[in-house]
Amino acid sequence: MLRFESMKNLPRIVGIVALSFLVCRFPGYGETVSVPNIETRIRNSGNEVPSSALPEFKLPLPQELPPEVKTAEKSKPTVSVGTDPVPVEVPIAPETIATFESSGVTGHASVGSGYPSSLAGEFSVARPAGAAPGLSAQFGYLTSDGYQGKKAGTGYFDRSVGLSLLAFNDTGTKKWFTAVSIADRANGLQGANPAYFSIGHRLAGVNAGFDLFTIGENGPVVSIYFDSQVFTSVVERGATEPLPGTGIEDYRGYFLSPSLRLSLVRERYLFTLESVYALDTVDTTDDLHALSVSAAAERTFGTLFLGGGAEFHTDSQDNFVVPFFLKFGWEPESGLFGPIGVTGGLRTDRRTVFDLVRLDPFVSLEGMPVYAADWFTRVNITVHPLSDITLYSIGEFRRTAANRGTPVLTDSISFGTLQWARVDRDSLVVTAGIAYAGEMLAVVTEYRGELMDELWAKHLHEIEVTVSLHDPAPKHFWATEVSSVFTPDSKELPRIGLSGRIFPLPRLSITLSFDDVLPPLFNEARMRNSLYQERSGTILLSGRFEF
């Protein structure tokens, strides 16, 4: 939800989001040095980026797309129950990123092509709010066809398209925003089911928020919000008719959620009271109604902060539940320790099968969304032993509560689609890393692991190393990066990527990138699951112009 008390930072946030929209959406094509990723990638762990790690306003959808078109996730339209992420200070790559330091329009455009039959494009433009409302627009496109030397047009392809529009006003007494987005992803079925050629997932949504009025002079602000989403999954027919009982059904529905919030903001104190209604409808299946009322407060004491809240949640699928949270944090401005946070309690999260599409686009789409519930505890700590070295660690434990299980992927494939199940689980995900940021060199090493439930996971542990280097001149002419991801508990080849970039003109950069280079060298296919390949060995040459 958009929190208007944070809207004074909105122009800068929108600029960052405009960049993140494109970088996160197109792996291997983004032109920034990777910083430590605190989101675990361990499948089925149930641990994702907490809502507190997100900008304090709802971004245009799509938020529930797979990694190829994934943006920052939407903040849950209730009180946040997580602590802030660890802000590891690693410099972004030396490029002229468009910012909102000036009052004019800024943005960038880029285009690239490569192997196998790859084409990519990005366009972003933004204007901060002033006498006129602020505006932001982003468009992205990426396609690749012919994995591992397969002939183009035979179903070994993926394609992602995204469009996002945002208008806002963070000046004056009544602040507002409205956002629209559309996203489309398609993946070839690689001949696994001759009756179908590809499967596509589409999302479209509208989000809006408005300050209605203020109670008294400098009193609480009453605001209204609206979320909506239309989602569809359709299959493209192949050369034959499906056999009886082997067809892949289309999946479509919509989500609507109005909410009302009262917020009181003081210099060191925040209080919110919110009521949210949500409706999920899935064609030929059923409706899911949900209602929640929540209250939360937070108080700062210098560099310390304390917070807590509670919520009453009920829905038409499961019994009512009463989530709550307590959190404590310390954010010193300098010294040996960086941010330290502890939070815990009971929380609910809306989960849909489109969440699973992020992990595997070939999952069988059926059934209703659910509101999962978990007991949880999260601890994060950052240490700065030297000015250019940062150590960080995050641990989060979850245990299913109130018989409200979480949808997870299984390893069962039926007629070309991966099956899923709603299960109870115990999860303990640990992330730990060290980051060095020098004048020319940046190195990040991070471990991510699930220490409890396996839940059909291909692997439970990952080690990622990223090395970035650029020339020391004030206006950099070149930069390069090498990244690798190892899975010590599996036989998968490491994922290794390389990229190099030059700046022939102040506002122009040219990048050559190689993504997941080992499978073609060893004549092996990178398998997404036991049936489907995923893209590897991609080479992309791209140019980017800032304005």
Side-chain angles (χ1 to χ4, degrees), residues 402-467:
N403 295 317
R404 289 174 171 264
T406 298
V408 300
L409 297 173
T410 72
D411 56 7
S412 174
I413 295 180
S414 176
F415 304 114
T417 58
L418 189 66
Q419 303 302 296
W420 63 275
R422 187 182 185 186
V423 301
D424 295 350
R425 52 93 172 96
D426 291 341
S427 172
L428 176 58
V429 171
V430 174
T431 301
I434 178 171
Y436 167 78
E439 182 180 355
M440 295 179 56
L441 177 68
V443 181
V444 179
T445 301
E446 181 177 277
Y447 163 80
R448 298 179 292 268
E450 166 64 76
L451 305 184
M452 297 185 73
D453 279 353
E454 296 186 12
L455 292 177
W456 300 286
K458 293 172 61 178
H459 61 268
L460 298 175
H461 306 278
E462 289 185 351
I463 299 173
E464 182 171 3
V465 180
T466 302
V467 179

Side-chain angles (χ1 to χ4, degrees), residues 96-140:
T96 53
I97 298 174
T99 68
F100 292 89
E101 299 299 327
S102 64
S103 59
V105 174
T106 58
H108 72 265
S110 59
V111 64
S113 64
Y115 171 87
S117 299
S118 299
L119 180 65
E122 301 175 359
F123 178 80
S124 175
V125 62
R127 182 189 69 192
L135 300 173
S136 175
Q138 301 96 36
F139 171 79

Side-chain angles (χ1 to χ4, degrees), residues 21 25 59-65 69-74 161-164 180-184 202-205 207 229 358:
F21 174 91
R25 186 169 268 111
L59 296 176
L61 301 173
Q63 290 94 313
E64 297 183 294
L65 290 185
V69 289
K70 182 182 175 185
T71 67
E73 282 185 41
K74 170 180 150 185
V161 185
L163 173 65
S164 164
V180 179
S181 72
I182 303 171
D184 178 275
R202 300 180 181 91
L203 292 171
N207 304 92
Q229 185 182 85
R358 294 178 187 170

Side-chain angles (χ1 to χ4, degrees), residues 4 169-176 210-214 221:
F4 291 113
N169 180 28
D170 61 344
T171 61
T173 57
K174 292 188 177 181
K175 303 174 179 62
W176 59 268
F210 304 88
D211 277 351
L212 295 179
F213 57 87
T214 301
V221 177

Side-chain angles (χ1 to χ4, degrees), residues 365-387:
L365 294 183
E366 57 184 350
M368 294 294 297
V370 301
Y371 285 87
D374 290 295
W375 298 102
F376 77 99
T377 302
R378 175 185 168 90
V379 179
N380 63 270
I381 183 171
T382 306
V383 180
H384 305 284
L386 297 172
S387 61

Side-chain angles (χ1 to χ4, degrees), residues 69-91:
V69 289
K70 182 182 175 185
T71 67
E73 282 185 41
K74 170 180 150 185
S75 296
K76 187 172 180 281
T78 56
V79 61
S80 170
V81 296
T83 58
D84 291 336
V86 180
V88 179
E89 296 295 335
V90 178

